[in-house]
Amino acid sequence: MLRFITSSSAPKFFPTKPFHIISPFSSRLSVRSMADSAAPFSKIQIQRDDNTTFDAYVIGKHDAPGIVVLQEWWGVDFEIKNHAAMISQLGRGFKALIPDLYRGKVGLDVAEAQHLFDGLDWPGAVKDIHASVDWLKANGSKKAGVTGFCMGGALAIASSVLVPHVDAVVAFYGVPSSELADPAQAKAPVQAHFGELDNFVGFSDVTAAKALEEKLKASGIPHEVHIYPGNSHAFMNRSTEGINRRKNMGLPDEDEASVQLAWSRFQSWMTQYLSS
């Protein structure tokens, strides 16, 4: 798993033992249900092979190519819903599906997000992704990809290794632990995006990005790894709330040109590999 350290300087991720749950903020935890959204999402329930059921949120045309959209460590909040709504409108449109990995809980601050992140069942999250891909393909989408941001980016790359029938992956600033998944074993095309100034060490910094690129080369699958100069972590978050949250975490950069370039690359990649 990954731990998040807060200090007077910018925070850093670093890898520790996978799936070990440490919850130093449990006494401070308060969570809310996922905020309502003006976007026309449909709430559905998906059942995994082990009969576990979870909620998911879908937007887009029934027969459009499907994309599973994976949350940041905050949960299924306004930002990930913004991303899903954006994805549903790119090009000719995609059908975006957000599985609720936290089962209705959303962190309101770093301490809450840390608690939820630490408690995530990572193998279970991979099962959620597997079931989400299967649901899309059983409900109108001939092909399905996976994308994610931060924690979701790491899970998206893991899905290229662990989830059968994924047709393409795009990951934003996140790399899975070697204990969860080895990108050298990826079976689906992977595109990945990182900020040059990202200092979440071992998770989404430039060194982690370059190590990922070497692993993807070894896999033999089509891949692209893009590093955006002058950008740090979570640079895709462009809502007013997202910008303020980044600033409060010491991530003040705002680079609309890089965001648009990343979305353009995302659209080209998913269109190439998800077109029938």
Side-chain angles (χ1 to χ4, degrees), residues 67 94 145-146 168-170 266-275:
I67 298 179
F94 297 95
V146 179
V169 164
V170 178
F266 173 100
Q267 179 182 335
S268 295
W269 191 260
M270 287 303 199
T271 299
Q272 177 181 355
Y273 290 104
L274 301 186
S275 295

Side-chain angles (χ1 to χ4, degrees), residues 249-265:
M249 294 176 66
L251 308 173
D253 56 281
E254 297 178 25
D255 186 352
E256 188 64 31
S258 290
V259 172
Q260 295 304 317
L261 177 58
W263 278 125
S264 175
R265 288 167 168 167

Side-chain angles (χ1 to χ4, degrees), residues 130-273:
H130 189 168
S132 297
V133 169
D134 288 349
W135 187 93
L136 284 167
K137 291 194 172 187
N139 288 273
S141 298
K142 294 181 181 178
K143 293 187 177 181
V146 179
T147 191
F149 302 79
C150 187
M151 180 185 84
L155 284 166
I157 292 172
S159 76
S160 73
V161 179
L162 302 172
V163 179
H165 314 308
V166 172
D167 295 298
V169 164
V170 178
F172 291 89
Y173 28 81
V175 177
S177 68
S178 58
E179 292 88 349
L180 177 63
D182 179 2
Q185 303 300 317
K187 302 173 184 66
V190 175
Q191 183 187 78
H193 304 264
F194 298 88
E196 178 192 32
L197 304 181
D198 195 322
N199 64 354
F200 291 4
V201 176
F203 179 70
S204 54
D205 63 329
V206 169
T207 299
K210 291 181 177 179
L212 171 65
E213 186 170 28
E214 291 304 310
K215 288 280 191 176
L216 293 174
K217 286 180 181 177
S219 75
I221 52 94
H223 65 276
E224 294 178 358
V225 175
H226 299 287
I227 298 175
Y228 295 80
N231 285 268
S232 60
H233 196 74
F235 68 89
M236 295 295 289
N237 293 348
R238 299 298 299 139
S239 69
T240 300
E241 297 94 334
I243 291 171
N244 288 336
R245 187 160 64 185
R246 285 209 325 277
K247 288 181 177 179
N248 291 336
M249 294 176 66
L251 308 173
D253 56 281
E254 297 178 25
D255 186 352
E256 188 64 31
S258 290
V259 172
Q260 295 304 317
L261 177 58
W263 278 125
S264 175
R265 288 167 168 167
F266 173 100
Q267 179 182 335
S268 295
W269 191 260
M270 287 303 199
T271 299
Q272 177 181 355
Y273 290 104

Side-chain angles (χ1 to χ4, degrees), residues 10-68:
K12 298 178 182 290
F13 277 98
F14 65 93
T16 61
K17 294 180 180 179
F19 321 134
H20 179 55
I21 299 173
I22 305 172
S23 301
F25 301 111
S26 57
S27 63
R28 298 174 53 195
L29 178 67
S30 62
V31 294
R32 64 179 180 183
S33 297
M34 187 181 70
D36 292 336
S37 171
F41 284 86
S42 297
K43 182 177 179 180
I44 63 171
Q45 284 199 326
I46 296 176
Q47 188 173 51
R48 302 188 329 204
D49 287 345
D50 60 4
N51 293 323
T52 299
T53 301
F54 60 92
D55 291 337
Y57 301 84
V58 182
I59 186 171
K61 295 180 180 178
H62 173 75
D63 59 351
I67 298 179
V68 178

